[in-house]
Amino acid sequence: MTTTPAPPPPQGPGVVPPFPAPPVEGRGRRVGLGVGLGAGVLVLVLGGGLAAAIGLFTVASDALNEQADVVVSDYLDAVRDRRYADAYEMLCQQTKDDQTEAEFTSKVSDDEPIASYDVGDLETIQLSAPVDVTYADGSTGRLEAYLQQNRRTGRFEVCSIEE
């Protein structure tokens, strides 16, 4: 009968384990640094997105204001210079359907002649722009230019100018 040797007794204190132990010191600082960097990147990304959205809104608003200013100015220049046929052609289709060129000319020629004007900022909900006018007799007033967007060209067209 052969006997197997008994296992050796466990080693005592100060013995090196057969695998490295995970480091304990500095763990909280690394986690804090990682969370801080992640939060910083998130703030930069969201801040950049917000800045881009604000910039896009500003540019689009300025472009719409510029287009409305040009359209209303061209129309008022034609009316002021008594080029009623040109002014009629600048009207939106709905207004042209509601009145003939002769009716338009009769109505506009009876109005007080405009000496100068200043077109304000476009109000995007109603598609209207305020117009401060000075008439030929020196009196002043405020008109509202109502616009419509042409579905084919995308450009604004004047539908009416009202007091």
PDB file of all heavy atoms in Angstrom, residues 52-68 121-122 124 127 149 156:
ATOM      1  N   ALA A  52     -25.167  76.820 -32.283  1.00  0.00           N
ATOM      2  CA  ALA A  52     -25.467  76.611 -33.702  1.00  0.00           C
ATOM      3  C   ALA A  52     -26.947  76.865 -33.992  1.00  0.00           C
ATOM      4  O   ALA A  52     -27.294  77.479 -35.000  1.00  0.00           O
ATOM      5  CB  ALA A  52     -25.078  75.197 -34.122  1.00  0.00           C
ATOM      6  N   ALA A  53     -27.828  76.404 -33.111  1.00  0.00           N
ATOM      7  CA  ALA A  53     -29.269  76.620 -33.309  1.00  0.00           C
ATOM      8  C   ALA A  53     -29.613  78.102 -33.253  1.00  0.00           C
ATOM      9  O   ALA A  53     -30.392  78.595 -34.076  1.00  0.00           O
ATOM     10  CB  ALA A  53     -30.064  75.845 -32.252  1.00  0.00           C
ATOM     11  N   ILE A  54     -29.018  78.822 -32.302  1.00  0.00           N
ATOM     12  CA  ILE A  54     -29.272  80.260 -32.197  1.00  0.00           C
ATOM     13  C   ILE A  54     -28.754  80.980 -33.438  1.00  0.00           C
ATOM     14  O   ILE A  54     -29.421  81.850 -33.995  1.00  0.00           O
ATOM     15  CB  ILE A  54     -28.630  80.833 -30.917  1.00  0.00           C
ATOM     16  CG1 ILE A  54     -29.401  80.329 -29.696  1.00  0.00           C
ATOM     17  CG2 ILE A  54     -28.599  82.358 -30.933  1.00  0.00           C
ATOM     18  CD1 ILE A  54     -28.722  80.633 -28.370  1.00  0.00           C
ATOM     19  N   GLY A  55     -27.580  80.593 -33.896  1.00  0.00           N
ATOM     20  CA  GLY A  55     -27.012  81.199 -35.105  1.00  0.00           C
ATOM     21  C   GLY A  55     -27.870  80.936 -36.325  1.00  0.00           C
ATOM     22  O   GLY A  55     -28.108  81.834 -37.137  1.00  0.00           O
ATOM     23  N   LEU A  56     -28.354  79.711 -36.466  1.00  0.00           N
ATOM     24  CA  LEU A  56     -29.202  79.364 -37.605  1.00  0.00           C
ATOM     25  C   LEU A  56     -30.505  80.157 -37.573  1.00  0.00           C
ATOM     26  O   LEU A  56     -30.955  80.676 -38.599  1.00  0.00           O
ATOM     27  CB  LEU A  56     -29.493  77.867 -37.598  1.00  0.00           C
ATOM     28  CG  LEU A  56     -30.347  77.329 -38.727  1.00  0.00           C
ATOM     29  CD1 LEU A  56     -29.641  77.544 -40.067  1.00  0.00           C
ATOM     30  CD2 LEU A  56     -30.622  75.851 -38.528  1.00  0.00           C
ATOM     31  N   PHE A  57     -31.116  80.280 -36.398  1.00  0.00           N
ATOM     32  CA  PHE A  57     -32.347  81.051 -36.266  1.00  0.00           C
ATOM     33  C   PHE A  57     -32.115  82.515 -36.632  1.00  0.00           C
ATOM     34  O   PHE A  57     -32.928  83.126 -37.322  1.00  0.00           O
ATOM     35  CB  PHE A  57     -32.887  80.929 -34.835  1.00  0.00           C
ATOM     36  CG  PHE A  57     -34.121  81.748 -34.606  1.00  0.00           C
ATOM     37  CD1 PHE A  57     -35.356  81.320 -35.074  1.00  0.00           C
ATOM     38  CD2 PHE A  57     -34.052  82.963 -33.944  1.00  0.00           C
ATOM     39  CE1 PHE A  57     -36.497  82.075 -34.876  1.00  0.00           C
ATOM     40  CE2 PHE A  57     -35.186  83.729 -33.739  1.00  0.00           C
ATOM     41  CZ  PHE A  57     -36.408  83.289 -34.198  1.00  0.00           C
ATOM     42  N   THR A  58     -31.012  83.072 -36.175  1.00  0.00           N
ATOM     43  CA  THR A  58     -30.702  84.477 -36.458  1.00  0.00           C
ATOM     44  C   THR A  58     -30.505  84.710 -37.946  1.00  0.00           C
ATOM     45  O   THR A  58     -31.031  85.666 -38.515  1.00  0.00           O
ATOM     46  CB  THR A  58     -29.445  84.915 -35.674  1.00  0.00           C
ATOM     47  OG1 THR A  58     -29.694  84.708 -34.276  1.00  0.00           O
ATOM     48  CG2 THR A  58     -29.114  86.363 -35.924  1.00  0.00           C
ATOM     49  N   VAL A  59     -29.747  83.828 -38.591  1.00  0.00           N
ATOM     50  CA  VAL A  59     -29.486  83.975 -40.026  1.00  0.00           C
ATOM     51  C   VAL A  59     -30.787  83.832 -40.824  1.00  0.00           C
ATOM     52  O   VAL A  59     -31.052  84.610 -41.742  1.00  0.00           O
ATOM     53  CB  VAL A  59     -28.425  82.948 -40.487  1.00  0.00           C
ATOM     54  CG1 VAL A  59     -28.362  82.855 -41.993  1.00  0.00           C
ATOM     55  CG2 VAL A  59     -27.061  83.315 -39.915  1.00  0.00           C
ATOM     56  N   ALA A  60     -31.610  82.847 -40.472  1.00  0.00           N
ATOM     57  CA  ALA A  60     -32.878  82.639 -41.185  1.00  0.00           C
ATOM     58  C   ALA A  60     -33.799  83.840 -40.993  1.00  0.00           C
ATOM     59  O   ALA A  60     -34.449  84.293 -41.948  1.00  0.00           O
ATOM     60  CB  ALA A  60     -33.554  81.363 -40.697  1.00  0.00           C
ATOM     61  N   SER A  61     -33.860  84.358 -39.778  1.00  0.00           N
ATOM     62  CA  SER A  61     -34.704  85.520 -39.502  1.00  0.00           C
ATOM     63  C   SER A  61     -34.233  86.737 -40.289  1.00  0.00           C
ATOM     64  O   SER A  61     -35.054  87.459 -40.869  1.00  0.00           O
ATOM     65  CB  SER A  61     -34.676  85.815 -37.999  1.00  0.00           C
ATOM     66  OG  SER A  61     -35.412  86.960 -37.707  1.00  0.00           O
ATOM     67  N   ASP A  62     -32.927  86.948 -40.334  1.00  0.00           N
ATOM     68  CA  ASP A  62     -32.388  88.075 -41.103  1.00  0.00           C
ATOM     69  C   ASP A  62     -32.684  87.928 -42.596  1.00  0.00           C
ATOM     70  O   ASP A  62     -33.004  88.905 -43.272  1.00  0.00           O
ATOM     71  CB  ASP A  62     -30.877  88.205 -40.884  1.00  0.00           C
ATOM     72  CG  ASP A  62     -30.524  88.709 -39.493  1.00  0.00           C
ATOM     73  OD1 ASP A  62     -31.436  89.157 -38.773  1.00  0.00           O
ATOM     74  OD2 ASP A  62     -29.326  88.635 -39.127  1.00  0.00           O
ATOM     75  N   ALA A  63     -32.581  86.711 -43.102  1.00  0.00           N
ATOM     76  CA  ALA A  63     -32.850  86.482 -44.525  1.00  0.00           C
ATOM     77  C   ALA A  63     -34.316  86.753 -44.862  1.00  0.00           C
ATOM     78  O   ALA A  63     -34.628  87.359 -45.889  1.00  0.00           O
ATOM     79  CB  ALA A  63     -32.477  85.052 -44.909  1.00  0.00           C
ATOM     80  N   LEU A  64     -35.231  86.307 -43.993  1.00  0.00           N
ATOM     81  CA  LEU A  64     -36.655  86.558 -44.222  1.00  0.00           C
ATOM     82  C   LEU A  64     -36.962  88.048 -44.150  1.00  0.00           C
ATOM     83  O   LEU A  64     -37.733  88.574 -44.959  1.00  0.00           O
ATOM     84  CB  LEU A  64     -37.505  85.790 -43.206  1.00  0.00           C
ATOM     85  CG  LEU A  64     -37.536  84.275 -43.370  1.00  0.00           C
ATOM     86  CD1 LEU A  64     -38.299  83.635 -42.220  1.00  0.00           C
ATOM     87  CD2 LEU A  64     -38.130  83.880 -44.703  1.00  0.00           C
ATOM     88  N   ASN A  65     -36.368  88.739 -43.176  1.00  0.00           N
ATOM     89  CA  ASN A  65     -36.571  90.190 -43.067  1.00  0.00           C
ATOM     90  C   ASN A  65     -36.072  90.906 -44.311  1.00  0.00           C
ATOM     91  O   ASN A  65     -36.719  91.825 -44.815  1.00  0.00           O
ATOM     92  CB  ASN A  65     -35.860  90.746 -41.833  1.00  0.00           C
ATOM     93  CG  ASN A  65     -36.685  90.602 -40.588  1.00  0.00           C
ATOM     94  OD1 ASN A  65     -37.903  90.657 -40.627  1.00  0.00           O
ATOM     95  ND2 ASN A  65     -36.016  90.394 -39.478  1.00  0.00           N
ATOM     96  N   GLU A  66     -34.924  90.490 -44.805  1.00  0.00           N
ATOM     97  CA  GLU A  66     -34.362  91.133 -45.999  1.00  0.00           C
ATOM     98  C   GLU A  66     -35.259  90.910 -47.213  1.00  0.00           C
ATOM     99  O   GLU A  66     -35.528  91.835 -47.980  1.00  0.00           O
ATOM    100  CB  GLU A  66     -32.965  90.580 -46.271  1.00  0.00           C
ATOM    101  CG  GLU A  66     -32.288  91.227 -47.450  1.00  0.00           C
ATOM    102  CD  GLU A  66     -30.887  90.670 -47.685  1.00  0.00           C
ATOM    103  OE1 GLU A  66     -30.306  90.081 -46.762  1.00  0.00           O
ATOM    104  OE2 GLU A  66     -30.396  90.827 -48.818  1.00  0.00           O
ATOM    105  N   GLN A  67     -35.746  89.684 -47.375  1.00  0.00           N
ATOM    106  CA  GLN A  67     -36.612  89.400 -48.523  1.00  0.00           C
ATOM    107  C   GLN A  67     -37.923  90.188 -48.428  1.00  0.00           C
ATOM    108  O   GLN A  67     -38.381  90.760 -49.416  1.00  0.00           O
ATOM    109  CB  GLN A  67     -36.908  87.909 -48.629  1.00  0.00           C
ATOM    110  CG  GLN A  67     -37.693  87.576 -49.879  1.00  0.00           C
ATOM    111  CD  GLN A  67     -38.043  86.100 -50.005  1.00  0.00           C
ATOM    112  OE1 GLN A  67     -37.807  85.319 -49.096  1.00  0.00           O
ATOM    113  NE2 GLN A  67     -38.615  85.740 -51.126  1.00  0.00           N
ATOM    114  N   ALA A  68     -38.498  90.251 -47.229  1.00  0.00           N
ATOM    115  CA  ALA A  68     -39.741  91.007 -47.052  1.00  0.00           C
ATOM    116  C   ALA A  68     -39.500  92.490 -47.325  1.00  0.00           C
ATOM    117  O   ALA A  68     -40.324  93.146 -47.968  1.00  0.00           O
ATOM    118  CB  ALA A  68     -40.283  90.808 -45.639  1.00  0.00           C
ATOM    119  N   ASP A 121     -39.475  95.028 -39.314  1.00  0.00           N
ATOM    120  CA  ASP A 121     -39.172  93.591 -39.316  1.00  0.00           C
ATOM    121  C   ASP A 121     -40.419  92.758 -39.578  1.00  0.00           C
ATOM    122  O   ASP A 121     -41.521  93.089 -39.133  1.00  0.00           O
ATOM    123  CB  ASP A 121     -38.567  93.172 -37.974  1.00  0.00           C
ATOM    124  CG  ASP A 121     -37.145  93.679 -37.807  1.00  0.00           C
ATOM    125  OD1 ASP A 121     -36.515  94.054 -38.817  1.00  0.00           O
ATOM    126  OD2 ASP A 121     -36.662  93.689 -36.656  1.00  0.00           O
ATOM    127  N   LEU A 122     -40.217  91.665 -40.268  1.00  0.00           N
ATOM    128  CA  LEU A 122     -41.291  90.744 -40.618  1.00  0.00           C
ATOM    129  C   LEU A 122     -41.825  90.054 -39.371  1.00  0.00           C
ATOM    130  O   LEU A 122     -41.070  89.586 -38.528  1.00  0.00           O
ATOM    131  CB  LEU A 122     -40.759  89.691 -41.598  1.00  0.00           C
ATOM    132  CG  LEU A 122     -41.741  88.620 -42.050  1.00  0.00           C
ATOM    133  CD1 LEU A 122     -42.801  89.240 -42.948  1.00  0.00           C
ATOM    134  CD2 LEU A 122     -41.007  87.522 -42.788  1.00  0.00           C
ATOM    135  N   THR A 124     -43.455  86.846 -38.437  1.00  0.00           N
ATOM    136  CA  THR A 124     -43.527  85.577 -39.168  1.00  0.00           C
ATOM    137  C   THR A 124     -44.842  84.822 -39.007  1.00  0.00           C
ATOM    138  O   THR A 124     -45.191  84.042 -39.879  1.00  0.00           O
ATOM    139  CB  THR A 124     -42.369  84.652 -38.753  1.00  0.00           C
ATOM    140  OG1 THR A 124     -42.369  84.507 -37.332  1.00  0.00           O
ATOM    141  CG2 THR A 124     -41.048  85.216 -39.207  1.00  0.00           C
ATOM    142  N   LEU A 127     -47.149  86.821 -41.337  1.00  0.00           N
ATOM    143  CA  LEU A 127     -46.439  87.245 -42.549  1.00  0.00           C
ATOM    144  C   LEU A 127     -46.816  88.680 -42.899  1.00  0.00           C
ATOM    145  O   LEU A 127     -47.378  88.961 -43.952  1.00  0.00           O
ATOM    146  CB  LEU A 127     -46.724  86.318 -43.723  1.00  0.00           C
ATOM    147  CG  LEU A 127     -45.912  85.034 -43.759  1.00  0.00           C
ATOM    148  CD1 LEU A 127     -46.244  84.228 -45.013  1.00  0.00           C
ATOM    149  CD2 LEU A 127     -44.436  85.274 -43.673  1.00  0.00           C
ATOM    150  N   GLN A 149     -46.375  83.751 -49.428  1.00  0.00           N
ATOM    151  CA  GLN A 149     -45.254  83.125 -50.123  1.00  0.00           C
ATOM    152  C   GLN A 149     -45.766  82.397 -51.359  1.00  0.00           C
ATOM    153  O   GLN A 149     -46.717  81.629 -51.284  1.00  0.00           O
ATOM    154  CB  GLN A 149     -44.543  82.147 -49.194  1.00  0.00           C
ATOM    155  CG  GLN A 149     -43.193  81.726 -49.682  1.00  0.00           C
ATOM    156  CD  GLN A 149     -42.423  80.963 -48.615  1.00  0.00           C
ATOM    157  OE1 GLN A 149     -43.002  80.461 -47.666  1.00  0.00           O
ATOM    158  NE2 GLN A 149     -41.131  80.891 -48.786  1.00  0.00           N
ATOM    159  N   PHE A 156     -41.668  85.946 -51.395  1.00  0.00           N
ATOM    160  CA  PHE A 156     -42.809  86.664 -50.836  1.00  0.00           C
ATOM    161  C   PHE A 156     -43.445  87.535 -51.905  1.00  0.00           C
ATOM    162  O   PHE A 156     -42.774  88.020 -52.815  1.00  0.00           O
ATOM    163  CB  PHE A 156     -42.365  87.575 -49.688  1.00  0.00           C
ATOM    164  CG  PHE A 156     -42.027  86.838 -48.418  1.00  0.00           C
ATOM    165  CD1 PHE A 156     -40.894  87.162 -47.700  1.00  0.00           C
ATOM    166  CD2 PHE A 156     -42.842  85.844 -47.926  1.00  0.00           C
ATOM    167  CE1 PHE A 156     -40.580  86.514 -46.539  1.00  0.00           C
ATOM    168  CE2 PHE A 156     -42.534  85.179 -46.766  1.00  0.00           C
ATOM    169  CZ  PHE A 156     -41.398  85.516 -46.063  1.00  0.00           C
TER     170      PHE A 156
END
